[in-house]
Amino acid sequence: MQNNTFYNEVLTDHNLHPVHKYHLEGANFSLEGVNPSCGDDIVLSLKVEDGKIVDGAYEGDGCAISQASADMMLDLVIGKTKEEAERLADIFLRMIKGTITEEEKEELEEASILSDVSHMPARVKCAVLGWHTMQEMLEEV
Amino acid sequence: MTEKDQLIRKEFPILKNRNVIYLDNAATSQKPPCVIEASNRYYNMHNANPLRGLYELSVDATDAYENARKTVADFIGANRPEEIVFTRNASESLNLIAYSYARTFLKEGDEIICTIAEHHSNMLPWQQAAKATGAKLTYLYCEKDGTLTPEMLEEIISDNTKLVAVTQISNVFGRLNDIKGFAKVAHAHGALLVADGAQSVPHVPVDVQELDCDFLAFSGHKMFAPMGIGALYAKYDLLEKMPPFLYGGEMIEYVTTEGATYAEVPHKFEAGTVNVGGAVGLAEAIRFMQRFGWETIMKREDDLTSYAMEKMKKYPYVHIIGSEDPKEHHGIITFKLDGVHPHDIAAIFDEHGIAVRAGHHCAQPLMKYLGTLSTTRASLAFYNNKEDIDAFVETLVGIRKEMGYAE
Ligand SMILES: Cc1ncc(COP(=O)(O)O)c(C=O)c1O
């Protein structure tokens, strides 16, 4: 077995034991995101008060990357303002394109473990599913 | 590796050059040097625009192309070389039938039947032809293990049915369908039988006269030939009455500003400059297969399939799609692994240098019918060997652990 697997413990743990994967009561924003080509499917729900994400959760099915990415994203954005969350989404999406600085990468905390996806074109859609869904939702906030 | 393994491996340098365990042969096969050299030799020695020129080189190119047609015709037991139309691939062959035959001869009230187990390439052309003509498209459902029998067709066919489209070997189940039986039922109701040979022609002997199918579509690239060359077999009288599919150069007899008369079969279906290099490569791929022989090819693929399935069955969290019997798989092993998404499975195999396919295998309606979105598929060719299977199974049984499961 090789040790340099992309599927490290942080990733598999967020996939198998997600913190934010449940049905959120009282959410005021909810949106489904789908990757038709691979069948990844998440429903993201946020509770936003006075421009601040006070709680969030997701439900769905899909590969470990899509599910863990959504979980790590929620870790990061709960408690943040809409603008802060949008900024993080922008950094994450640029990380996947391979164009961020080390300082920016640090801001992504655990989510930064997905940076290698920039070399895995087939998995880009999985990694960005949650983030794209959130971006789209926040436009409505 | 046995001596025979080594002998065969020598024919596929890519497997050494890239240090890959290649188990995605149902998607495309690797190419032996003799095939690549045959195409090269054509370009180095005989290249000119065929069927056109009145000089020696062009005659050479024409001969190369028509000899390749003859090799393909003999290989699948066609009555005459003119029954082979060269196309780019199985998809184009199937579209040719749908555009030229179905759209011309079908009308409202007619019916097309295709099975739920078809590759999108043997389904979407019929959906579109049905829309265009007002014909009805009916699906023949297989059993959940992929079983399809002529009796099942008999249940739903009617005298309105004009076309029945069935894959000879499913790219998901690997099961060999009784095309001869389907053709008999179709013919008894005045319908034609379209066989998708994309997965069968590379792996089992196919004799179109014995099967009595009206059409057979297949791709060169899945049987050791270059990409971009495929074939459509059709009975000669059908080709005679079908209108051209694409219009342009090489497929005409006389052209005036008002119209044209068309070239003889099969050239009327081969508009524009054709792929001689590909056709020559396909003919060489056929000779390559014949040098090893069906007995060797089929026995190796069967033995390896059995070996792999036996090993896989020991693990309760591995579920093989389709028949329990390895003989019904023809090298195609589609499976699910509890708790791990196929895309992650394929990615982990890739980390171990093993190429397998994950996803819907271009059969989304079938996946839906089987109650799943996607699966993983390992598919063999006769150049694979036991070491490949050992590595495959070893990686497979480690995947759940790698994904964080205790066992
Ligand atoms: C059963 C079947 N039919 C048709 C096709 C289409 O072949 P091609 O992509 O070469 O046109 C495939 C290839 O994946 C196949 O497996």
Side-chain angles (χ1 to χ4, degrees):
Chain A
M1 294 250 164
Q2 296 176 358
N3 299 318
N4 57 342
T5 173
F6 170 74
Y7 292 88
N8 58 33
E9 248 180 82
V10 179
L11 178 66
T12 57
D13 201 46
H14 274 283
N15 178 46
L16 288 191
H17 312 290
V19 184
H20 304 288
K21 193 171 190 171
Y22 61 92
H23 180 71
L24 180 65
E25 297 292 338
N28 49 1
F29 293 92
S30 191
L31 188 67
E32 182 173 21
V34 195
N35 283 334
S37 63
C38 40
D40 296 333
D41 184 351
I42 66 162
V43 177
L44 184 64
S45 300
L46 296 180
K47 194 186 280 181
V48 186
E49 285 170 6
D50 301 329
K52 192 169 165 187
I53 300 170
V54 297
D55 207 354
Y58 75 104
E59 294 164 272
D61 264 316
C63 68
I65 298 181
S66 69
Q67 304 299 299
S69 180
D71 205 51
M72 292 189 283
M73 174 186 82
L74 285 164
D75 265 356
L76 210 53
V77 302
I78 292 172
K80 301 270 178 8
T81 65
K82 170 188 164 175
E83 288 72 25
E84 285 166 331
E86 281 174 332
R87 190 170 157 273
L88 289 167
D90 175 63
I91 296 176
F92 184 87
L93 296 174
R94 281 191 293 113
M95 173 178 82
I96 300 297
K97 288 191 193 129
T99 58
I100 54 165
T101 62
E102 275 306 309
E103 295 80 61
E104 284 177 317
K105 192 167 164 182
E106 271 172 31
E107 288 191 59
L108 294 177
E109 299 176 15
E110 282 186 339
S112 68
I113 63 159
L114 292 175
S115 66
D116 278 350
V117 170
S118 62
H119 313 296
M120 302 161 69
R123 308 310 294 281
V124 165
K125 278 189 186 157
C126 318
V128 303
L129 179 62
W131 291 91
H132 268 313
T133 310
M134 181 181 77
Q135 267 188 331
E136 211 176 304
M137 261 168 100
L138 290 177
E139 280 171 19
E140 309 294 314
V141 173
Chain B
M1 262 197 249
T2 65
E3 221 169 280
K4 185 118 198 181
D5 287 352
Q6 283 169 353
L7 202 77
I8 296 172
R9 277 296 166 117
K10 275 225 298 276
E11 302 279 359
F12 295 91
I14 195 173
L15 300 174
K16 204 161 81 214
N17 293 343
R18 292 302 302 268
N19 198 17
V20 65
I21 292 177
Y22 187 74
L23 296 175
D24 195 15
N25 293 287
T28 199
S29 70
Q30 299 303 342
K31 326 297 176 198
C34 64
V35 165
I36 298 161
E37 278 157 21
S39 292
N40 282 349
R41 201 178 322 121
Y42 164 74
Y43 285 115
N44 288 334
M45 294 299 295
H46 307 292
N47 180 57
N49 205 316
L51 313 172
R52 248 183 254 211
L54 296 172
Y55 49 90
E56 190 181 343
L57 264 188
S58 175
V59 174
D60 269 14
T62 309
D63 285 350
Y65 188 59
E66 295 305 329
N67 286 337
R69 194 191 308 278
K70 186 161 184 319
T71 304
V72 173
D74 289 344
F75 184 60
I76 59 160
N79 201 16
R80 49 197 285 194
E82 293 81 3
E83 291 179 325
I84 302 297
V85 179
F86 280 123
T87 61
R88 285 184 301 136
N89 47 39
S91 302
E92 185 177 318
S93 301
L94 293 161
N95 274 280
L96 196 163
I97 312 167
Y99 273 90
S100 169
Y101 185 86
R103 289 189 187 214
T104 308
F105 297 109
L106 267 57
K107 53 183 192 315
E108 214 174 318
D110 289 342
E111 182 187 48
I112 303 171
I113 295 178
C114 86
T115 88
I116 195 70
E118 297 312 309
H119 187 281
H120 295 159
S121 291
N122 198 22
M123 186 179 279
L124 299 187
W126 311 123
Q127 286 181 2
Q128 293 305 316
K131 271 194 197 125
T133 59
K136 185 174 121 197
L137 178 60
T138 305
Y139 292 98
L140 174 61
Y141 281 79
C142 58
E143 283 169 27
K144 296 273 163 137
D145 70 353
T147 305
L148 276 166
T149 63
E151 292 72 37
M152 292 158 76
L153 174 63
E154 185 67 65
E155 297 264 309
I156 66 163
I157 198 168
S158 77
D159 289 347
N160 294 329
T161 310
K162 294 294 183 296
L163 268 181
V164 178
V166 183
T167 189
Q168 191 171 15
I169 289 184
S170 147
N171 64 319
V172 173
F173 298 110
R175 200 183 268 278
L176 179 69
N177 291 320
D178 174 10
I179 293 298
K180 190 176 177 178
F182 284 107
K184 208 177 254 173
V185 174
H187 293 158
H189 292 268
L192 299 181
L193 196 284
V194 177
D196 177 353
Q199 297 296 346
S200 56
V201 177
H203 297 282
V204 296
V206 173
D207 181 330
V208 289
Q209 290 189 64
E210 162 73 14
L211 298 175
D212 198 24
C213 56
D214 300 285
F215 298 99
L216 175 80
F218 59 100
S219 297
H221 70 90
K222 294 182 197 285
M223 48 188 284
F224 315 114
M227 292 189 174
I229 188 76
L232 171 67
Y233 157 83
K235 287 182 180 163
Y236 189 81
D237 58 332
L238 288 170
L239 290 175
E240 281 264 276
K241 71 177 205 183
M242 284 159 59
F245 166 42
L246 299 169
Y247 292 81
E250 318 261 20
M251 47 78 68
I252 44 78
E253 213 166 25
Y254 294 108
V255 182
T256 67
T257 49
E258 275 75 48
T261 57
Y262 299 111
E264 292 281 300
V265 168
H267 299 114
K268 78 171 174 187
F269 298 105
E270 295 177 352
T273 300
V274 294
N275 181 2
V276 185
V280 166
L282 174 56
E284 184 58 32
I286 288 171
R287 286 189 288 272
F288 171 77
M289 290 171 76
Q290 287 167 336
R291 281 201 290 278
F292 285 95
W294 279 122
E295 206 178 319
T296 299
I297 292 174
M298 288 174 50
K299 178 155 177 15
R300 286 182 63 92
E301 291 178 355
D302 255 8
D303 287 352
L304 288 174
T305 311
S306 301
Y307 183 66
M309 282 178 64
E310 284 312 311
K311 287 193 148 203
M312 291 167 78
K313 277 183 193 160
K314 291 195 197 123
Y315 302 91
Y317 45 78
V318 178
H319 308 281
I320 294 170
I321 311 278
S323 173
E324 293 273 319
D325 180 0
K327 289 238 174 309
E328 303 266 14
H329 279 266
H330 302 93
I332 291 176
I333 309 174
T334 304
F335 61 93
K336 299 200 63 118
L337 181 61
D338 285 341
V340 190
H341 191 281
H343 284 173
D344 297 320
I345 296 173
I348 293 175
F349 271 119
D350 184 42
E351 288 181 347
H352 292 261
I354 301 174
V356 297
R357 180 66 154 252
H360 50 61
H361 314 296
C362 298
Q364 285 184 22
L366 175 63
M367 290 295 133
K368 183 150 187 256
Y369 173 58
L370 296 176
T372 180
L373 279 165
S374 66
T375 55
T376 312
R377 178 185 71 195
S379 55
L380 309 168
F382 80 109
Y383 48 66
N384 290 117
N385 56 35
K386 279 194 170 175
E387 282 88 341
D388 292 346
I389 304 298
D390 290 340
F392 164 74
V393 176
E394 188 185 322
T395 302
L396 175 66
V397 302
I399 289 177
R400 279 172 54 86
K401 188 136 171 271
E402 218 165 309
M403 290 302 288
Y405 289 97
E407 176 42 68

